[in-house]
Amino acid sequence: MEKVDVAIIGCGPAGLSAAVNVKARNRSVLLVGPKLCSSALHKAHRVNNYLGMPGLSGDELRKSFIRHVREMGVDITQVSVSGIFPMGDSFQLQVQDEFWEARTVILTTGVFAAKSLPGENTYVGKGISYCGTCDAMFYRDKTIAVLADDVEHEDEVRFLAEVAKKVYFLPKYEKTGELLPNVEVLRDKVKEFQGGERLETLLLAEGGELNVDGAFLLKEQMPMAQLVSGLELVEKHIKVDTNMATNIPGVFAAGDVAGKPYQVAKAVGQGQLAALSAVAYVDSKKGAPV
């Protein structure tokens, strides 16, 4: 199991700022995030209110941030985190099919915009899972549905297909790669999850339905409440104090995920503060750098 002092989940402006400041203080860091790191910044035509750098496009600013991080010697691990679990004085992170240990965690994932589907929250842990590698074995030789946001999730689909008897695959994108024969690709959307004590049926937008034993929702970003159990939220934001600390000791949050306003300058500043707080937390545990 790989070990680091600070794990940063999300590589937008807050996460990148946090990574620079952790690295500057000679602490080891795991930085995890999607390819673009900040799709919102990538799409921004102009960012005119970032001090000292007026008139840049959002993508120019994004690339400048990433370049700075890489020049500091920090790599961006472009996979999804499917779970963060407290382990006494540290945290275990499931990063795709690997496990990492971190002394402290900074959440900078941005705002989770996607709304839950009808019935989704009812059946989480009762037939609905967000992690194929975590829960696949519960569905050996059974029928499952897999909903995927991105082609990057297809490795997880293939793994699930090796375990399950039948897989209904509903991708949100058009072109799929090579899949096993027991995977049936459906060009439809789920309208609602239904069942009794456990999930039994997926109602489809075009009027059909699927009878399943379980469903895997492979999302670019997991809901915070599922990623970190017990995390205190205020509506869709993580509740933090003035040091960017959450209600879970050793877990910090910064940027859009910690509340409005959704501004680059605020995210960068909060990322720095979260990094300083995380390093101070590690020092308080009298831990030598990993």
mmCIF file of all heavy atoms in Angstrom, residues 38 40-48 55-65 264:
data_model
loop_
_atom_site.group_PDB
_atom_site.id
_atom_site.type_symbol
_atom_site.label_atom_id
_atom_site.label_comp_id
_atom_site.label_asym_id
_atom_site.label_seq_id
_atom_site.Cartn_x
_atom_site.Cartn_y
_atom_site.Cartn_z
ATOM 1 N N SER A 38 -10.351 20.937 -14.379
ATOM 2 C CA SER A 38 -11.474 21.840 -14.130
ATOM 3 C C SER A 38 -12.169 22.108 -15.450
ATOM 4 O O SER A 38 -11.744 22.969 -16.225
ATOM 5 C CB SER A 38 -11.001 23.157 -13.504
ATOM 6 O OG SER A 38 -12.078 24.060 -13.385
ATOM 7 N N ALA A 40 -15.010 23.481 -15.877
ATOM 8 C CA ALA A 40 -15.621 24.816 -15.851
ATOM 9 C C ALA A 40 -14.602 25.882 -16.248
ATOM 10 O O ALA A 40 -14.902 26.784 -17.032
ATOM 11 C CB ALA A 40 -16.184 25.102 -14.464
ATOM 12 N N LEU A 41 -13.383 25.780 -15.717
ATOM 13 C CA LEU A 41 -12.336 26.745 -16.066
ATOM 14 C C LEU A 41 -11.917 26.567 -17.522
ATOM 15 O O LEU A 41 -11.662 27.549 -18.236
ATOM 16 C CB LEU A 41 -11.142 26.561 -15.130
ATOM 17 C CG LEU A 41 -10.082 27.670 -15.129
ATOM 18 C CD1 LEU A 41 -10.702 29.019 -14.808
ATOM 19 C CD2 LEU A 41 -8.972 27.328 -14.142
ATOM 20 N N HIS A 42 -11.863 25.341 -17.972
ATOM 21 C CA HIS A 42 -11.526 25.039 -19.367
ATOM 22 C C HIS A 42 -12.482 25.728 -20.337
ATOM 23 O O HIS A 42 -12.083 26.204 -21.404
ATOM 24 C CB HIS A 42 -11.558 23.527 -19.569
ATOM 25 C CG HIS A 42 -11.471 23.084 -20.994
ATOM 26 N ND1 HIS A 42 -10.339 23.241 -21.762
ATOM 27 C CD2 HIS A 42 -12.398 22.490 -21.797
ATOM 28 C CE1 HIS A 42 -10.558 22.764 -22.971
ATOM 29 N NE2 HIS A 42 -11.794 22.300 -23.016
ATOM 30 N N LYS A 43 -13.747 25.829 -19.965
ATOM 31 C CA LYS A 43 -14.772 26.402 -20.841
ATOM 32 C C LYS A 43 -14.907 27.919 -20.717
ATOM 33 O O LYS A 43 -15.568 28.554 -21.541
ATOM 34 C CB LYS A 43 -16.125 25.760 -20.528
ATOM 35 C CG LYS A 43 -16.192 24.277 -20.841
ATOM 36 C CD LYS A 43 -17.502 23.687 -20.354
ATOM 37 C CE LYS A 43 -17.540 22.179 -20.556
ATOM 38 N NZ LYS A 43 -18.778 21.583 -19.978
ATOM 39 N N ALA A 44 -14.287 28.511 -19.691
ATOM 40 C CA ALA A 44 -14.453 29.950 -19.449
ATOM 41 C C ALA A 44 -13.766 30.772 -20.534
ATOM 42 O O ALA A 44 -12.572 30.592 -20.800
ATOM 43 C CB ALA A 44 -13.903 30.310 -18.081
ATOM 44 N N HIS A 45 -14.503 31.686 -21.166
ATOM 45 C CA HIS A 45 -13.952 32.497 -22.256
ATOM 46 C C HIS A 45 -12.870 33.449 -21.746
ATOM 47 O O HIS A 45 -11.803 33.575 -22.347
ATOM 48 C CB HIS A 45 -15.073 33.294 -22.928
ATOM 49 C CG HIS A 45 -14.607 34.160 -24.057
ATOM 50 N ND1 HIS A 45 -14.019 33.648 -25.199
ATOM 51 C CD2 HIS A 45 -14.625 35.508 -24.209
ATOM 52 C CE1 HIS A 45 -13.701 34.641 -26.014
ATOM 53 N NE2 HIS A 45 -14.049 35.784 -25.437
ATOM 54 N N ARG A 46 -13.135 34.157 -20.661
ATOM 55 C CA ARG A 46 -12.184 35.076 -20.056
ATOM 56 C C ARG A 46 -12.300 35.030 -18.539
ATOM 57 O O ARG A 46 -13.388 34.878 -18.000
ATOM 58 C CB ARG A 46 -12.427 36.520 -20.512
ATOM 59 C CG ARG A 46 -11.976 36.816 -21.947
ATOM 60 C CD ARG A 46 -10.451 36.923 -22.047
ATOM 61 N NE ARG A 46 -10.025 37.241 -23.396
ATOM 62 C CZ ARG A 46 -9.765 36.333 -24.335
ATOM 63 N NH1 ARG A 46 -9.909 35.038 -24.057
ATOM 64 N NH2 ARG A 46 -9.374 36.695 -25.530
ATOM 65 N N VAL A 47 -11.162 35.189 -17.866
ATOM 66 C CA VAL A 47 -11.151 35.359 -16.414
ATOM 67 C C VAL A 47 -10.475 36.691 -16.147
ATOM 68 O O VAL A 47 -9.257 36.813 -16.238
ATOM 69 C CB VAL A 47 -10.387 34.211 -15.708
ATOM 70 C CG1 VAL A 47 -10.365 34.445 -14.196
ATOM 71 C CG2 VAL A 47 -11.023 32.871 -16.029
ATOM 72 N N ASN A 48 -11.265 37.704 -15.849
ATOM 73 C CA ASN A 48 -10.742 39.062 -15.726
ATOM 74 C C ASN A 48 -10.530 39.519 -14.294
ATOM 75 O O ASN A 48 -10.055 40.638 -14.068
ATOM 76 C CB ASN A 48 -11.694 40.047 -16.422
ATOM 77 C CG ASN A 48 -11.633 39.920 -17.939
ATOM 78 O OD1 ASN A 48 -10.553 39.761 -18.507
ATOM 79 N ND2 ASN A 48 -12.783 39.968 -18.587
ATOM 80 N N GLY A 55 -7.423 39.100 -18.357
ATOM 81 C CA GLY A 55 -7.602 38.871 -19.778
ATOM 82 C C GLY A 55 -7.287 37.479 -20.261
ATOM 83 O O GLY A 55 -7.481 37.175 -21.446
ATOM 84 N N LEU A 56 -6.809 36.597 -19.376
ATOM 85 C CA LEU A 56 -6.514 35.236 -19.814
ATOM 86 C C LEU A 56 -7.815 34.457 -20.005
ATOM 87 O O LEU A 56 -8.809 34.688 -19.316
ATOM 88 C CB LEU A 56 -5.658 34.510 -18.779
ATOM 89 C CG LEU A 56 -4.205 34.958 -18.604
ATOM 90 C CD1 LEU A 56 -3.530 34.080 -17.566
ATOM 91 C CD2 LEU A 56 -3.445 34.884 -19.917
ATOM 92 N N SER A 57 -7.781 33.545 -20.947
ATOM 93 C CA SER A 57 -8.916 32.628 -21.037
ATOM 94 C C SER A 57 -8.837 31.656 -19.860
ATOM 95 O O SER A 57 -7.779 31.465 -19.252
ATOM 96 C CB SER A 57 -8.880 31.849 -22.349
ATOM 97 O OG SER A 57 -7.815 30.908 -22.341
ATOM 98 N N GLY A 58 -9.970 31.050 -19.540
ATOM 99 C CA GLY A 58 -9.976 30.078 -18.462
ATOM 100 C C GLY A 58 -9.015 28.941 -18.724
ATOM 101 O O GLY A 58 -8.334 28.460 -17.808
ATOM 102 N N ASP A 59 -8.921 28.514 -19.983
ATOM 103 C CA ASP A 59 -8.051 27.382 -20.290
ATOM 104 C C ASP A 59 -6.581 27.766 -20.179
ATOM 105 O O ASP A 59 -5.756 26.944 -19.770
ATOM 106 C CB ASP A 59 -8.355 26.844 -21.690
ATOM 107 C CG ASP A 59 -7.848 25.417 -21.865
ATOM 108 O OD1 ASP A 59 -8.153 24.583 -20.982
ATOM 109 O OD2 ASP A 59 -7.160 25.145 -22.859
ATOM 110 N N GLU A 60 -6.238 29.003 -20.534
ATOM 111 C CA GLU A 60 -4.854 29.452 -20.356
ATOM 112 C C GLU A 60 -4.477 29.449 -18.877
ATOM 113 O O GLU A 60 -3.368 29.038 -18.509
ATOM 114 C CB GLU A 60 -4.689 30.855 -20.942
ATOM 115 C CG GLU A 60 -4.710 30.905 -22.461
ATOM 116 C CD GLU A 60 -4.727 32.316 -23.012
ATOM 117 O OE1 GLU A 60 -5.334 33.197 -22.369
ATOM 118 O OE2 GLU A 60 -4.143 32.537 -24.095
ATOM 119 N N LEU A 61 -5.403 29.905 -18.036
ATOM 120 C CA LEU A 61 -5.149 29.923 -16.604
ATOM 121 C C LEU A 61 -5.038 28.499 -16.059
ATOM 122 O O LEU A 61 -4.142 28.186 -15.262
ATOM 123 C CB LEU A 61 -6.278 30.683 -15.902
ATOM 124 C CG LEU A 61 -6.036 31.142 -14.465
ATOM 125 C CD1 LEU A 61 -4.796 32.024 -14.376
ATOM 126 C CD2 LEU A 61 -7.262 31.879 -13.933
ATOM 127 N N ARG A 62 -5.917 27.635 -16.521
ATOM 128 C CA ARG A 62 -5.889 26.236 -16.099
ATOM 129 C C ARG A 62 -4.549 25.586 -16.445
ATOM 130 O O ARG A 62 -3.924 24.901 -15.614
ATOM 131 C CB ARG A 62 -7.035 25.473 -16.774
ATOM 132 C CG ARG A 62 -7.130 23.997 -16.409
ATOM 133 C CD ARG A 62 -8.196 23.307 -17.262
ATOM 134 N NE ARG A 62 -7.803 23.210 -18.659
ATOM 135 C CZ ARG A 62 -7.058 22.229 -19.172
ATOM 136 N NH1 ARG A 62 -6.641 21.249 -18.392
ATOM 137 N NH2 ARG A 62 -6.748 22.215 -20.459
ATOM 138 N N LYS A 63 -4.096 25.780 -17.668
ATOM 139 C CA LYS A 63 -2.823 25.196 -18.105
ATOM 140 C C LYS A 63 -1.644 25.759 -17.319
ATOM 141 O O LYS A 63 -0.682 25.043 -17.016
ATOM 142 C CB LYS A 63 -2.628 25.422 -19.598
ATOM 143 C CG LYS A 63 -3.569 24.590 -20.468
ATOM 144 C CD LYS A 63 -3.401 24.922 -21.945
ATOM 145 C CE LYS A 63 -4.328 24.063 -22.809
ATOM 146 N NZ LYS A 63 -4.235 24.430 -24.246
ATOM 147 N N SER A 64 -1.720 27.052 -16.974
ATOM 148 C CA SER A 64 -0.658 27.672 -16.180
ATOM 149 C C SER A 64 -0.595 27.056 -14.792
ATOM 150 O O SER A 64 0.490 26.764 -14.269
ATOM 151 C CB SER A 64 -0.908 29.178 -16.078
ATOM 152 O OG SER A 64 0.084 29.798 -15.283
ATOM 153 N N PHE A 65 -1.756 26.822 -14.190
ATOM 154 C CA PHE A 65 -1.810 26.182 -12.875
ATOM 155 C C PHE A 65 -1.207 24.773 -12.926
ATOM 156 O O PHE A 65 -0.411 24.387 -12.063
ATOM 157 C CB PHE A 65 -3.260 26.089 -12.389
ATOM 158 C CG PHE A 65 -3.893 27.400 -12.012
ATOM 159 C CD1 PHE A 65 -5.266 27.490 -11.854
ATOM 160 C CD2 PHE A 65 -3.139 28.543 -11.806
ATOM 161 C CE1 PHE A 65 -5.873 28.684 -11.496
ATOM 162 C CE2 PHE A 65 -3.734 29.753 -11.446
ATOM 163 C CZ PHE A 65 -5.108 29.817 -11.291
ATOM 164 N N VAL A 264 -12.264 31.599 -8.888
ATOM 165 C CA VAL A 264 -10.929 31.010 -8.943
ATOM 166 C C VAL A 264 -10.057 31.524 -7.800
ATOM 167 O O VAL A 264 -9.362 30.753 -7.129
ATOM 168 C CB VAL A 264 -10.256 31.298 -10.297
ATOM 169 C CG1 VAL A 264 -8.817 30.771 -10.298
ATOM 170 C CG2 VAL A 264 -11.044 30.667 -11.430
#
